[in-house]
Each structure stands twice: as C-alpha cells, then as structure tokens.
Amino acid sequence: MTGKGIVIREAHFPGRAPIEAYGNGGFRFADMSHRGSLMCLPSGIHGWEPADPLVLTVADFDKLLAEAGKVEILLVGMGRDLRPLPAALRAALKA
C-alpha cells in the first residue's frame, strides 16, 4: 500500500463565519486560525496570497470579481502601511 503523503489544498472554509480576532499576521474564525491574508466571499472564506502584495493587480481579485454580483461591501486591508489601490484595480472594482 502506497500513501499519498501530504496533500496541500487551497485554504477554503465553505461558509460564512465572523472574524473573531486578527493580528500577528493572521485571523481567527470558526474556532480555527489562519496565518496570512483572507478573502471573505459569499462562497466562503479563502486563503489569499496575491502575487506581490505591494503591487496588487486585477488578477489578484479574480475570485472576488467572479462573485461581484453577490458582494455588497468591499474592504481591502492594506497591512501596516496605508497605501491607495492602483488606479487600474480601483477602476475594475468599481465596474
């Protein structure tokens, strides 16, 4: 019998849950913790790793854009340093 070893899956919680706490580079929700960024969508809570967090692109928001018709409010946390979203990204999100 051969084992598959460790299977790494995309981080996804298939439901809605309140964010219970955040800090130290992560979040707590649904009695779990997640280190890194999250994208909370109608389809659930997804682990989110943009290609370059300092230069966000439209492609980084593909999952959000696919569900845009179901999203009423968008909050984008920018970490410790406040900086505006790139103009092309802002235009795509407004559309």
Side-chain angles (χ1 to χ4, degrees), residues 39-41 60-69 71 74 93:
M39 187 173 287
C40 301
L41 299 171
D60 292 320
F61 290 84
D62 283 346
K63 282 184 182 164
L64 167 69
L65 295 173
E67 297 186 44
V71 175
L74 175 65
L93 293 173

Side-chain angles (χ1 to χ4, degrees), residues 3-93:
K4 291 183 179 181
I6 295 175
V7 176
I8 298 178
R9 296 185 178 104
E10 180 180 335
H12 177 236
F13 176 78
R16 295 182 183 190
I19 302 297
E20 298 162 356
Y22 64 93
N24 295 328
F27 297 87
R28 287 199 52 75
F29 62 93
D31 294 325
M32 297 182 291
S33 64
H34 173 82
R35 172 113 21 231
S37 299
L38 293 175
M39 187 173 287
C40 301
L41 299 171
S43 63
I45 301 172
H46 302 264
W48 184 59
E49 292 185 43
D52 182 348
L54 298 176
V55 185
L56 296 174
T57 67
V58 174
D60 292 320
F61 290 84
D62 283 346
K63 282 184 182 164
L64 167 69
L65 295 173
E67 297 186 44
K70 299 176 186 174
V71 175
E72 294 181 33
I73 297 172
L74 175 65
L75 297 174
V76 180
M78 299 300 287
R80 293 179 186 249
D81 300 320
L82 295 177
R83 58 189 176 277
L85 293 174
L89 176 56
R90 281 195 321 268
L93 293 173

